[in-house]
Amino acid sequence: MLGETEPQWLSEEVKTGTTIIAIEFNGGVVLGSDSRVSAGESVVNRVMNKLSPLHDKIYCALSGSAADAQTIAEAVNYQLDVHSMEIGEDPKVRSAATLVKNISYKYKEELSAHLIVAGWDRKDGGQVFATMKGLLTRQPFAVGGSGSSYVYGFVDAEYRKGMSREECQQFVVNTLALAMNRDGSSGGVAYLVTIDEHNTEEKVILGNDLPTFFDQ
Amino acid sequence: MEKHYTDSKVKGVSTGTTILAAVFDGGVVIGSDSRASIGGDYISSKTMNKVIQVHDRIFCGIAGSLADAQAVTKAAKSHLSFHSVQMESPPLVVAAASVLKDLCYKNKEELQAGFMTAGWDRKKGPQIYVVALGGMLLNQQVTIGGSGSTYIFGYVDAKYKPNMTREECVQFATNALALAMGRDNVSGGVAHLVVITEKEVEHVVVPGDKLPRFHDE
């Protein structure tokens, strides 16, 4: 038809405007993310799992440009496979984080993705690394994505050292729920991954099972 | 003469700020940080009180351009004192908020300031009204504003409960301000709190070193 232009979302970059979080406990880590992928004002995927495996016991959480984040995760997944074959054993979490950092730093002008790397290895147990814009820092917990701004206060107040596995899972779920309520680019369902020495457990929490707060 | 350029969208001195107000059982707490800065590069005041009294039991928290906020609150104060003389009774909180709203709406192109009005009146007890940038008026039980407020949305959503006691509410407000000041570089200094009830108005100032500390401090 004359004068018809394409929908705006076809020309918008696809972003995982997101909330991601990872936290370490004694013996492992918990990672969490929302599931919304937006292109401008449209939600193009409402059930995307932004927790991507880099190795059996190492996962990363994706935020920023969806394409950039996925590409980095796939590249590091490959590099880690090769690395773990070369050393003959499971890779360290720090190695995975360093590989992510190397790509983020080298291509920092071209890429706009922030990955949080977390996992368990035999040497240092559960670890969380933030790799924003090419830095590498180990932290007890890390939050990222557009929704994280709204929950800095909450995580600062609620985090305590020495939380148990269940407390960490509840902390992650509460944080995601709060951020998804306030950030227009975060929403959908919550994905959780818990990694420890013995297994890696993936869980989905549907929207109506998320915690609610005083005004809901 | 060296010109100081900033890329702040607010011209001149801005209250990059955190303001908060919350209703509790029998009253309302309104609070703010105390930093006034030029674009986030220079702190022009470390001890500014951003909670301004517009009548005996009605206070306003200001955010945005300091000049605009001062001009608007001055005009509102004089409107309100005239209004209360005419009515021969203290103004309603909603009246104070409406005066601000009118000024903000009619001058929306020129102004860049947002307000929260908190107070107590005999008709409806403790109330909070928010006047947003374009002049919208909203009644809420708890509200936050200013640049620092983004960081405490999650905390406020999780921790605010209706009908708290006065002590719980003051602690909640102090914690929220401390958390925001800890993350926002243009909020800081001391925490100013005003507790308004039917009987009295109490100012509480919490200096920086007495603010609650959290896990990484």
Side-chain angles (χ1 to χ4, degrees), chain B residues 1-167:
Chain B
M1 188 165 64
E2 191 191 65
K3 265 200 165 179
H4 186 85
Y5 285 109
T6 73
D7 53 12
S8 160
K9 294 194 204 93
V10 177
K11 293 198 292 280
V13 178
S14 126
T15 58
T17 268
T18 310
I19 48 177
L20 168 155
V23 169
F24 63 88
D25 185 17
V28 57
V29 172
I30 177 166
S32 78
D33 74 306
S34 70
R35 181 174 291 182
S37 57
I38 304 187
D41 290 334
Y42 174 69
I43 296 175
S44 49
S45 169
K46 292 191 267 189
T47 53
M48 198 200 143
N49 187 350
K50 300 173 195 177
V51 178
I52 298 184
Q53 184 162 25
V54 294
H55 208 263
D56 294 347
R57 292 274 183 286
I58 308 179
F59 284 73
C60 268
I62 56 178
S65 155
L66 187 50
D68 287 347
Q70 283 190 338
V72 172
T73 47
K74 243 179 151 176
K77 238 172 151 168
S78 87
H79 267 280
L80 271 181
S81 75
F82 184 65
H83 169 78
S84 85
V85 165
Q86 273 197 313
M87 305 290 285
E88 293 178 14
S89 75
L92 297 177
V93 185
V94 68
S98 300
V99 166
L100 287 165
K101 181 261 294 173
D102 272 349
L103 290 165
C104 288
Y105 183 67
K106 297 207 164 87
N107 299 297
K108 59 158 65 170
E109 307 303 327
E110 287 91 3
L111 290 177
Q112 259 213 357
F115 302 89
M116 51 180 66
T117 308
W120 186 95
D121 64 41
R122 205 185 339 228
K123 188 168 172 201
K124 285 196 171 162
Q127 301 142 75
I128 298 170
Y129 292 89
V130 179
V131 179
L133 228 53
M136 175 182 75
L137 181 63
L138 254 189
N139 177 217
Q140 297 199 292
Q141 291 292 98
V142 62
T143 189
I144 52 182
S147 57
S149 67
T150 20
Y151 305 104
I152 50 174
F153 272 107
Y155 181 79
V156 168
D157 282 346
K159 293 293 170 178
Y160 176 76
K161 305 273 176 294
N163 297 320
M164 287 192 275
T165 67
R166 180 209 170 101
E167 288 69 30

Side-chain angles (χ1 to χ4, degrees), chain A residues 141 149-161 178 181-182 213-215, chain B residues 141-142 150-162 179 183 214-216:
Chain A
F141 71 90
S149 316
Y150 301 102
V151 289
Y152 271 111
F154 178 76
V155 299
D156 281 345
E158 291 295 289
Y159 173 77
R160 286 153 291 122
K161 266 174 67 165
L178 287 163
N181 273 339
R182 287 291 182 179
F213 304 97
F214 78 94
D215 54 352
Chain B
Q141 291 292 98
V142 62
T150 20
Y151 305 104
I152 50 174
F153 272 107
Y155 181 79
V156 168
D157 282 346
K159 293 293 170 178
Y160 176 76
K161 305 273 176 294
L179 288 163
R183 285 290 182 180
F214 301 94
H215 69 97
D216 54 357

